[in-house]
Amino acid sequence: MSEILDLAGIFVFALTGALMGVRKRLDVVGMAVLASMTALGGGIVRDLILNVRPAAFQSLGYVLVPLVATVIVAFWHPHVARVMPAIMILDAAGLGLFCAVGTEKALEYGLNPLHATLLGVTTAVGGGMLRDLLAGEIPTLLYDRQLYAVPAMVGSAVMAALYVYDLHGWPATLAAAVIAFVLRIAAMRYGWRAPLARGVRPDG
């Protein structure tokens, strides 16, 4: 079940990466690279830091799912773009899942709660950061409009706290993921964003 949820999150993240490729007028190879980096980049960075073989290289599905997402976007990107609001809801669910799972894995490999929380955030937002860098964009992580990194940080912190109090398994993972998901959805709904430096006015 956990692998199915993982692949679902990878698929949604890959769609957003492939759509970025369309907006940048990249060919299908470039789209596939952005889709793969968005979907798998955060998990690969996490596993390399933990000094374990990345999960993306242990299952064929992790490689095939971003390619399937690329093909879908390549042929039907106008339709995919039209359902973007629904995709963003699924993206928020993937964000919650990835931050919780990433934090739990880091804790299981012996990291302290603070470092595990940071690695959970990396799992959730690292792929998007790599996508933006490859696409020549300022990473959205650096101007967290509509709160993306903050929900991941809250979800990761909740996961770490539950783990410290010996609450493990899917109920703890689900609780942390739901908290990050709800916070992300609320930020999208109400336009919340991280505060700017004192005296600096928001653009636009």
Side-chain angles (χ1 to χ4, degrees):
M1 182 64 177
S2 60
E3 184 174 353
I4 294 175
L5 291 174
D6 209 18
L7 291 175
I10 286 171
F11 178 73
V12 173
F13 280 8
L15 287 177
T16 66
L19 283 171
M20 171 73 81
V22 172
R23 289 196 295 272
K24 290 291 182 177
R25 304 182 65 83
L26 302 182
D27 60 25
V28 290
V29 175
M31 290 170 58
V33 169
L34 289 187
S36 299
M37 284 297 99
T38 307
L40 305 175
I44 290 174
V45 171
R46 176 202 63 212
D47 290 343
L48 290 176
I49 291 173
L50 294 175
N51 198 29
V52 298
R53 182 189 299 174
F57 296 99
Q58 298 185 48
S59 172
L60 190 60
Y62 286 81
V63 177
L64 293 180
V65 167
L67 297 180
V68 170
T70 300
V71 171
I72 291 173
V73 172
F75 282 98
W76 297 289
H77 61 88
H79 305 286
V80 176
R82 276 200 293 271
V83 297
M84 199 62 193
I87 291 176
M88 292 308 296
I89 293 175
L90 295 174
D91 180 85
L95 179 80
L97 176 67
F98 279 25
C99 74
V101 170
T103 303
E104 184 176 32
K105 185 169 185 178
L107 290 164
E108 290 174 348
Y109 275 85
L111 269 66
N112 64 51
L114 175 59
H115 290 152
T117 297
L118 294 176
L119 206 50
V121 176
T122 299
T123 306
V125 307
M129 191 167 183
L130 291 173
R131 174 202 63 210
D132 293 341
L133 289 171
L134 288 172
E137 297 281 331
I138 298 174
T140 53
L141 183 64
L142 301 182
Y143 54 102
D144 199 15
R145 288 186 176 85
Q146 293 189 340
L147 296 189
Y148 200 78
V150 171
M153 186 172 296
V154 172
S156 295
V158 169
M159 184 71 241
L162 292 173
Y163 196 94
V164 166
Y165 286 100
D166 205 30
L167 296 171
H168 304 175
W170 69 264
T173 303
L174 180 62
V178 167
I179 289 172
F181 170 77
V182 170
L183 183 55
R184 170 63 178 151
I185 293 297
M188 292 167 58
R189 173 66 177 83
Y190 298 108
W192 296 343
R193 60 169 294 169
L196 299 174
R198 181 180 175 184
V200 176
R201 295 187 178 185
D203 57 6

